[in-house]
Amino acid sequence: MNVDERRSGLLLAMVWLAFQFTALAQTTNFAHPLDPLSKDEIALAAKVLKDAGRATAASRFQTIALNEPPKSEVLDFKPGDAFRREAFVIVYERAANKTFDSVVDLRSQTVKTWREVPGAQPSFMLEDIFIVQTVVRSNPEWQAAMRKRGITEFSKVQVEPWPAGNYGFKDEEGIRLIRALSYYRGESKMPYAHPVEGVVAVVDLNKKRVLKLIDTGVVPVPKADFDIDEKSVEQRLGKLREAPKPLSIVQPNGASFEIRGNEIRWQKWRFRYALHPREGVVLYTVGYEDGGKVRSVLYRGSLSEMVVPYGDPSESWFFRNAFDEGEAMVGSLALPLVERTDVPENAVLMNAVRSSESGSAIESKNVIGLYERDGGVLWKHADYLTNTNESRRGRQLVLTYFANVGNYEYGFNWVFHQDGALEMEAMLTGVMSTKGVLPINSGHGNHNGNMFGHLVADGVEAVHHQHFFNFRLDLDVDGTANTVVEQNTEALPPGKTNPYNNAFVMKNVPLKTELTAQRQLNLATHRRWLVVNPNQKNSLGQPTGFLLSTGENSVPLAAINSSVRRRAGFVNSHLWVTPQTADEMYAAGLYINQSKGGEGLPAWTKRNRPLENKDVVVWYTFGVTHIPRPEDWPVMPVHKAGFKLMPVGFFTQNPALDVPK
């Protein structure tokens, strides 16, 4: 193996080695049923399955994570109580192309459940990535395609895996697949500036062969480098701008939050957290202290699924619809956070434990950040008659992590506000997926790229795409019995009740069943959704509630009968509501890799279960439609999207009134 090959392999290993994170483990002294698995517990789960004859040295442990106890047991738990300790395990047998999942009782060291899941393909594994590298680079057809484009040093080509999806192709049925793209790295640190357009290798991972090679014709590989390190940028653009004067974030008396194992306490907020290998950072048992009592708000909140569909229908692009959670395990791709850039200098960085595919455990450093940040003006009022001017400066608590998914980076911030609001900030950055097109001076083609993308550099086009995120929010507003109410604001018609034509009212409609609770946003009526506890009233006689305040959003542009819409049915509605059910966790289903579709929310809600005054789960889908611009190149400035949960009638006055100056 030459130097370039070793370097390429090392870089890929660094990108993908984060696969299989299990959960954030700050302590091995388990004090709570939701504490994540320790290193010892991960290893024990694998050992129990091997000892029972369910797994062998050849087995691949795609997931080993906490099997969360029933919600009722968690809510009834008191410090010092005994509680169950179980692991959920996904095992893949490559030789047989079979997937099994299991629940292992770690207390008794027994296999509690074991089942084969026919036709299921678990998410990507590190081993899959190495197989793709070896198989594609050694394939004669691929090598010939590279030579046609003037590339003879195959070790300098980055072979990048993409999910295969499911398009009903007969020759792909029942095979564990990856579609492999090619980028010429050369000496550049930015391979995405050099796409080898039109070449796609469909790889049979188990037989370790190229099932078929797609070559749609030669397009010149763009030559210009766009490395983004300081030295490269300065060489390309000239002297860097003068740095702003130092900004120091100092807390001389220490942080205002308290970490107790996996519990955080800050400014009347109480919550637990973990890093799940699939979902990323998960919040548990979120409550707010009010009048000496911690009132429940959210039992469990997490990213349930995400999908990124691209809008280019060509043969080498139509399949690019990535489920970055269900296919790539976005939580397991958490990156070490860099102080003073990813997080401010006052952040506390925390570690995580990941499971390897062999069933061992490895600790990864600094993948979760926790810090306080300035929140701007919290509230203000000046009275000119009394010459008084009262205002307060706000503070926010941020729980954050970043994940690297190939060319793209996603950051997720759970933000706690002093006024009782809880916010999710999804941050989109990284490098756009690129397509090679004819150079500007070629005399051919549209200099602005084709209709499916926009030119961002000479010979480089970024393709139109969308990002959709679905969050599963098991809200417990003052208890488990809740009702979701849709609010629409409407203008009254002219008449006796509206003599000056200025009147508008809000209409509240409870969402009574699952089918009626599949809802879209409506800008014309300022549509929003309120989760109330009809059994609890504030001092004004109103039911206590929390509002889902929506931000930026989109509707899917792929056709309803497209493969991506069949598999990502959750994008069909912005809002879904279901009864709380332990095995309904992922909006597109548990096994999304190469799935045919129809699973998850579309399947569950067909039962049309009642929702009023029940323990309900709110599923919110928000999306970003990205029409690329040159300013997004070569690395995209952070774009934020998300939502906020805001108290409505939960308190009878501003809960931040007691914040001191």
Side-chain angles (χ1 to χ4, degrees):
M1 182 182 288
N2 62 32
V3 173
D4 289 325
E5 288 175 321
R6 289 197 298 271
R7 181 178 63 184
S8 177
L10 179 61
L11 288 169
L12 284 161
M14 291 173 64
V15 171
W16 292 99
L17 191 59
F19 267 76
Q20 310 307 317
F21 279 105
T22 55
L24 186 64
Q26 293 300 110
T27 177
T28 56
N29 298 314
F30 302 120
H32 194 274
L34 294 174
D35 283 329
L37 297 183
S38 69
K39 291 181 181 180
D40 290 342
E41 288 181 310
I42 290 170
L44 178 60
K47 182 179 183 300
V48 169
L49 288 172
K50 290 177 180 178
D51 290 347
R54 298 296 191 177
T56 68
S59 302
R60 291 295 173 258
F61 296 89
Q62 191 274 328
T63 292
I64 304 177
L66 177 70
N67 190 54
E68 296 174 14
K71 182 176 178 179
S72 59
E73 292 183 15
V74 175
L75 295 179
D76 291 339
F77 171 78
K78 296 179 179 60
D81 289 352
F83 52 89
R84 68 176 75 194
R85 206 66 186 156
E86 297 174 350
F88 176 73
V89 186
I90 296 176
V91 177
Y92 183 62
E93 300 293 350
R94 192 177 295 280
N97 191 27
K98 290 184 177 181
T99 299
F100 303 85
D101 58 35
S102 176
V103 174
V104 176
D105 188 322
L106 298 172
R107 301 289 196 203
S108 64
Q109 300 186 25
T110 57
V111 180
K112 187 174 180 179
T113 67
W114 175 266
R115 66 162 186 161
E116 181 182 349
V117 190
Q121 289 291 340
S123 307
F124 283 2
M125 295 182 288
L126 181 61
E127 186 178 70
D128 294 330
I129 312 308
F130 288 124
I131 291 172
V132 168
Q133 302 296 310
T134 303
V135 168
V136 172
R137 285 203 179 101
S138 62
N139 179 260
E141 288 184 88
W142 180 86
Q143 293 177 353
M146 294 301 107
R147 291 191 185 98
K148 286 189 330 186
R149 292 158 172 84
I151 299 171
T152 56
E153 294 182 89
F154 304 138
S155 63
K156 292 185 177 181
V157 179
Q158 178 170 308
V159 178
E160 184 149 308
W162 265 73
N166 190 315
Y167 300 92
F169 301 145
K170 294 295 184 182
D171 60 340
E172 296 183 1
E173 290 182 0
I175 302 174
R176 184 168 177 81
L177 297 172
I178 276 179
R179 302 186 196 274
L181 313 179
S182 298
Y183 299 89
Y184 183 70
R185 178 175 288 276
E187 304 305 318
S188 173
K189 304 179 189 70
M190 178 62 77
Y192 305 109
H194 314 289
V196 183
E197 188 55 43
V199 179
V200 180
V202 184
V203 179
D204 182 332
L205 292 165
N206 293 347
K207 292 186 178 181
K208 299 181 181 179
R209 66 186 182 104
V210 174
L211 180 68
K212 53 189 173 185
L213 187 85
I214 296 163
D215 187 347
T216 61
V218 175
V219 176
V221 177
K223 296 181 179 179
D225 289 336
F226 287 92
D227 295 344
I228 59 176
D229 60 282
E230 282 192 347
K231 183 179 179 181
S232 298
V233 171
E234 189 166 33
Q235 289 175 344
R236 194 166 65 249
L237 301 181
K239 186 179 179 180
L240 302 178
R241 70 175 71 186
E242 183 179 348
K245 298 295 189 293
L247 176 62
S248 184
I249 303 172
V250 179
Q251 294 183 276
N253 298 323
S256 305
F257 53 79
E258 182 182 359
I259 303 176
R260 300 183 177 185
N262 282 80
E263 183 187 45
I264 305 295
R265 299 188 176 190
W266 177 83
Q267 288 287 288
K268 299 191 172 184
W269 285 104
R270 306 285 188 271
F271 64 92
R272 307 190 69 82
Y273 68 100
L275 182 65
H276 190 277
R278 176 169 175 154
E279 301 165 81
V281 171
V282 180
L283 296 184
Y284 299 101
T285 60
V286 179
Y288 192 94
E289 184 183 343
D290 181 34
K293 176 185 176 183
V294 178
R295 300 169 65 188
S296 62
V297 175
L298 177 72
Y299 176 75
R300 192 182 195 278
S302 67
L303 177 68
S304 170
E305 190 55 84
M306 56 184 293
V307 65
V308 188
Y310 284 78
D312 189 325
S314 64
E315 194 174 2
S316 58
W317 275 85
F318 75 91
F319 58 86
R320 302 196 200 195
N321 303 297
F323 291 76
D324 289 334
E325 178 173 318
E327 292 171 334
M329 302 283 284
V330 67
S332 65
L333 300 175
L335 291 166
L337 296 171
V338 181
E339 293 180 332
R340 296 178 179 267
T341 53
D342 296 334
V343 292
E345 60 192 297
N346 64 324
V348 173
L349 299 182
M350 297 171 289
N351 304 332
V353 174
R354 60 184 173 88
S355 65
S356 71
E357 291 159 24
S358 65
S360 61
I362 305 171
E363 187 175 38
S364 295
K365 302 290 188 180
N366 301 339
V367 291
I368 297 284
L370 181 69
Y371 61 91
E372 295 173 271
R373 71 183 183 189
D374 181 72
V377 177
L378 183 60
W379 56 262
K380 181 180 179 65
H381 179 63
D383 190 326
Y384 72 94
L385 292 175
T386 60
N387 198 29
T388 57
N389 189 349
E390 288 285 344
S391 63
R392 299 292 186 271
R393 195 74 181 174
R395 189 79 61 87
Q396 297 169 358
L397 182 71
V398 181
L399 184 66
T400 187
Y401 88 103
F402 269 89
N404 168 243
V405 190
N407 56 296
Y408 225 80
E409 273 75 26
Y410 296 97
F412 297 94
N413 289 343
W414 286 106
V415 185
F416 296 81
H417 296 253
Q418 290 170 301
D419 63 0
L422 172 59
E423 185 176 7
M424 163 47 60
E425 290 179 342
M427 298 174 287
L428 290 71
T429 184
V431 183
M432 298 178 292
S433 285
T434 53
K435 179 177 184 176
V437 295
L438 293 173
I440 295 174
N441 62 4
S442 67
H444 301 280
N446 185 344
H447 290 172
N448 293 318
N450 68 34
M451 69 180 76
F452 305 118
H454 276 71
L455 205 65
V456 294
D458 192 9
V460 181
E461 177 184 298
V463 175
H464 303 155
H465 58 281
Q466 296 183 290
H467 303 258
F468 289 99
F469 307 83
N470 180 275
F471 275 79
R472 182 184 186 275
L473 304 168
D474 183 358
L475 284 149
D476 283 357
V477 179
D478 266 338
T480 58
N482 289 174
T483 297
V484 181
V485 177
E486 180 171 288
Q487 298 184 326
N488 288 281
T489 304
E490 300 175 3
L492 289 180
K496 290 183 179 180
T497 58
N498 187 17
Y500 302 103
N501 299 327
N502 67 317
F504 57 88
V505 297
M506 176 178 287
K507 295 183 178 180
N508 295 328
V509 178
L511 302 178
K512 297 182 178 182
T513 65
E514 289 179 284
L515 294 180
T516 58
Q518 297 174 21
R519 305 298 293 164
Q520 302 284 358
L521 286 168
N522 186 348
L523 186 61
T525 65
H526 187 55
R527 182 170 293 164
R528 55 189 198 169
W529 298 284
L530 181 65
V531 182
V532 301
N533 188 326
N535 313 294
Q536 300 291 330
K537 302 292 194 297
N538 61 22
S539 62
L540 304 175
Q542 303 165 341
T544 60
F546 260 77
L547 175 74
L548 174 60
S549 178
T550 60
E552 177 183 0
N553 216 320
S554 292
V555 296
L557 297 171
I560 190 69
N561 62 346
S562 63
S563 173
V564 66
R565 290 283 293 276
R566 289 196 302 271
R567 300 175 67 219
F570 64 88
V571 305
N572 297 335
S573 295
H574 293 124
L575 185 86
W576 305 71
V577 186
T578 63
Q580 195 279 334
T581 307
D583 60 354
E584 295 180 2
M585 297 298 297
Y586 305 113
L590 176 58
Y591 295 98
I592 186 63
N593 189 21
Q594 297 181 233
S595 68
K596 294 181 179 180
E599 293 121 2
L601 284 168
W604 304 329
T605 55
K606 287 179 180 178
R607 288 170 284 181
N608 202 25
R609 293 166 290 186
L611 299 174
E612 286 188 288
N613 207 11
K614 303 286 187 182
D615 189 357
V616 296
V617 175
V618 171
W619 309 72
Y620 179 58
T621 304
F622 64 92
V624 174
T625 298
H626 190 177
I627 304 301
R629 55 192 181 120
E631 290 84 354
D632 292 327
W633 180 258
V635 62
M636 178 183 166
V638 165
H639 181 91
K640 293 182 180 180
F643 61 89
K644 185 184 287 187
L645 297 172
M646 301 175 60
V648 175
F650 194 80
F651 308 99
T652 54
Q653 59 184 336
N654 182 352
L657 199 65
D658 64 350
V659 173
K661 290 184 179 179

